[in-house]
Structures are given as structure tokens and as C-alpha cells.
Amino acid sequence: MREILMREHFGSFLADGDLGNKFRFCEVEPLFNSLDQLVFDFQGVTNMSDSFANACFGTLAEEHSTVVLNKVRFRNCVHGIKQSLECAIGAGIKRHSQWAK
Amino acid sequence: DQDVAPVASRVAGCVDPCRGEAFRLLEFASSEAILNARQHSGGAGFVSAQYAPKKELARIGVADCGIGIRASFQRNESPFYKKGMTELDALLLALKPEVSSTTHLRTAYGSSPNKGVGLSMMLNLMSQSLGYMCLISGEAWWYKEGQDQAKYGVFRNGKRFEGTICAIAFQRGQIDNYFEMLERARNELKLKSDKPVGNIFI
């Protein structure tokens, strides 16, 4: 299990979809493939754009589908960030099932 | 190529220094508008923010001197691009949810980071706060005030703006719960998944 402190990487506002995509590809994917569980800690994060949520977590779900639901957990999320993550991951899984057909 | 977050936070701080609900909404909206300019324009961008206390209007503007919306669809060989598409067609298309000129592209980091939800989310949030939004790209313009019908057209006599402008204003007094507004916008735009993702929060 590995815990990633999002504030340490991005500060209190997770905004930049390009940075989210790069972070997913360079740091999250290698861990995702080698660990049983990944925990993203949102302590101190107050806001997140849809671009960031979709680029980082939506695309992770698009690549790995429902495996994400077993491997990934989120800690210390405020209500709005939970909504954003649920939306991005749900959309990613949906995209995966569309291109898998 | 700098990180969008500090710029968006500074813009939001101009109009809501107390960092309340309006601050977070403006952070969200300005970050999406700045990202659009950076990812699609291929040119330099400019950001402005202003607060009009009498009208309680928080205004942000992002302008770029890039290629414009239609050329972005064309240059990226977007499946949404159609031969003969006008600049107005492209502008109206870009406002639709899950439409982006780069969604189909692969990047050095795999899938495109763009899912095409930023502009439609901004539009919905503006509408909820009874503000206004204006887009200009090339010869095309589009304007919507509050929940009224949008107006759009092309400039007369060959006049045009070489690039894209996104100007958006929110009524600060109408922003009472930012996260509720976001949820309403996602519901109305049907961006939420039908299937629950289960218990991913600890």
C-alpha cells in the first residue's frame, strides 16, 4: 500500500489537467501496476477542477476500468471533491466499456 | 507553460479576497478558461479580473491571440470537424458537453487530458449565478445572459478577432454554495455516471 499526499504535489487547488495527466502517467501508473492499494490523501486540498479530475483519475479509470475501484481509495476529501472524483471515475469506466466493445 | 492553479487562484483572489464560496467558483472557472487557451490556441494568452461592487458582478476574461476554435478542430483533425464548418459552427459545437478538439489525440502521457467539459460547466455555473458569458472567435460571437436564450452571430463587414476571447461574469450574491452548484451543473449536463462507483472513500 502507498499513500500519496496530493497537497504536497499540487497545493490546495488541483487545477491543471496537463499536470494531472503527467502525474498519472509518470507517478501513479507505475505504482498502480505494482501495488495492491493506492491511497490518495486530499488533506488540505480545497478545490479541484474537472479538468484535473478527468485527466488524472478519469483517465486512470479509462485505462483500468473497475480495477480502479478495488485498488484506489481516497482519504480526507471534502464533499465537493468526492462528487468530482465519483463523476470523473464513473465517466472513465464508461469510456473504457465503450472502447472495449 | 506555467501551472494554471496559482494564476487561477490569483484571479479569484482579486474578486473575492475573503476566499469564500465565490473564490472557489472563480478559481474553478478561470482555471478551465485558462487551460482552454493554453491547450487549444497555440498562442499567448491574457487574463483579467474585475469586481463591480454595485452590481456584485465578478468578471473574468481570458483572451488569446491564437488560431481560434475552428482552426483548432481542423488542425487537430478532430472527428468533430466537418468540411465547410464556419467559425460560428465551431464555436457553438465547442459549447456542447464532452466536445473538445483534442479529446481523440494521444499525448506523451497517453490519453488526452481533455474531456471537453470545461466550457459547458462554466456556462451552466454562470447561468445559475445569473451572470453572463461571451465568447468570440474569429468572426463568430456568442452571448448569454443569466437563464435567457443565447444570442449569436458573426461580426459585420468582415470584422474579426484573431484568436479567442472568453469573458464570464458571476453575480457574487447568487453564489451561496459552490459545491451544490457544481453538482447541479453535472446533473443538468448528464456528466454523472448511471452506475455508482461504490465505496472508494475512507
Side-chain angles (χ1 to χ4, degrees):
Chain A
M1 196 270 270
R2 178 74 68 86
E3 195 155 314
I4 297 174
L5 303 173
M6 297 303 282
R7 193 187 162 107
E8 281 191 4
H9 287 271
F10 300 103
S12 62
F13 178 34
L14 278 50
D16 197 321
D18 290 326
L19 291 182
N21 204 33
K22 183 179 176 184
F23 171 72
R24 173 195 59 77
F25 187 82
C26 298
E27 303 197 35
V28 178
E29 289 283 1
L31 294 173
F32 188 89
N33 293 322
S34 62
L35 296 171
D36 291 341
Q37 192 153 68
L38 262 177
V39 177
F40 294 92
D41 191 331
F42 279 70
Q43 182 75 49
V45 175
T46 55
N47 203 357
M48 178 166 64
S49 73
D50 279 3
S51 287
F52 186 95
N54 283 316
C56 187
F57 301 108
T59 307
L60 190 69
E62 187 177 342
E63 299 284 336
H64 301 281
S65 188
T66 50
V67 180
V68 166
L69 306 181
N70 299 324
K71 275 200 176 186
V72 170
R73 291 292 178 271
F74 299 95
R75 194 195 299 279
N76 293 318
C77 300
V78 296
H79 178 61
I81 286 176
K82 280 185 185 174
Q83 292 169 1
S84 182
L85 289 167
E86 281 174 343
C87 193
I89 290 171
I93 292 171
K94 193 173 165 186
R95 283 194 300 275
H96 178 93
S97 61
Q98 282 167 347
W99 61 251
K101 277 178 188 171
Chain B
D1 284 340
Q2 62 181 311
D3 183 5
V4 165
V7 182
S9 298
R10 279 214 305 277
V11 167
C14 289
V15 292
D16 186 5
C18 299
R19 295 190 163 230
E21 295 293 296
F23 176 86
R24 287 190 290 178
L25 183 128
L26 287 156
E27 257 190 343
F28 180 97
S30 49
S31 72
E32 296 288 5
I34 295 166
L35 268 173
N36 275 345
R38 197 183 70 188
Q39 291 172 333
H40 303 293
S41 75
F46 308 87
V47 186
S48 66
Q50 187 182 39
Y51 181 63
K54 278 188 185 168
K55 293 182 180 174
E56 282 206 314
L57 268 183
R59 303 182 183 117
I60 53 174
V62 177
D64 67 68
C65 47
I67 59 174
I69 297 172
R70 182 183 62 178
S72 179
F73 279 112
Q74 187 175 14
R75 184 182 281 187
N76 292 311
E77 298 179 357
S78 164
F80 294 109
Y81 180 75
K82 300 282 181 287
K83 201 177 172 189
M85 176 186 261
T86 65
E87 288 182 308
L88 182 58
D89 294 336
L91 192 157
L92 296 173
L93 184 62
L95 281 160
K96 292 184 178 169
E98 300 183 280
V99 171
S100 163
S101 65
T102 58
T103 315
H104 62 296
L105 297 179
R106 300 290 291 181
T107 71
Y109 307 116
S111 296
S112 167
N114 300 325
K115 308 303 176 203
V117 298
L119 212 48
S120 41
M121 283 292 285
M122 274 193 282
L123 168 58
N124 188 292
L125 292 169
M126 174 286 295
S127 194
Q128 287 187 52
S129 88
L130 306 176
Y132 65 81
M133 184 165 164
C134 177
L135 287 172
I136 294 171
S137 185
E139 64 173 10
W141 62 268
W142 178 97
Y143 176 80
K144 188 175 191 310
E145 197 164 329
Q147 292 168 351
D148 294 352
Q149 283 281 95
K151 296 171 183 169
Y152 50 85
V154 292
F155 294 119
R156 290 178 190 170
N157 305 322
K159 290 190 172 57
R160 52 187 294 109
F161 177 79
E162 293 300 344
T164 302
I165 297 172
C166 175
I168 187 161
F170 300 95
Q171 288 236 26
R172 203 166 79 167
Q174 297 289 330
I175 306 167
D176 54 353
N177 190 322
Y178 161 65
F179 285 134
E180 262 180 28
M181 290 174 76
L182 277 186
E183 186 164 26
R184 199 174 304 138
R186 290 191 189 109
N187 282 332
E188 287 177 9
L189 296 170
K190 299 183 172 39
L191 297 175
K192 294 188 84 170
S193 172
D194 311 330
K195 294 178 185 170
V197 294
N199 192 16
I200 52 175
F201 301 104
I202 52 176

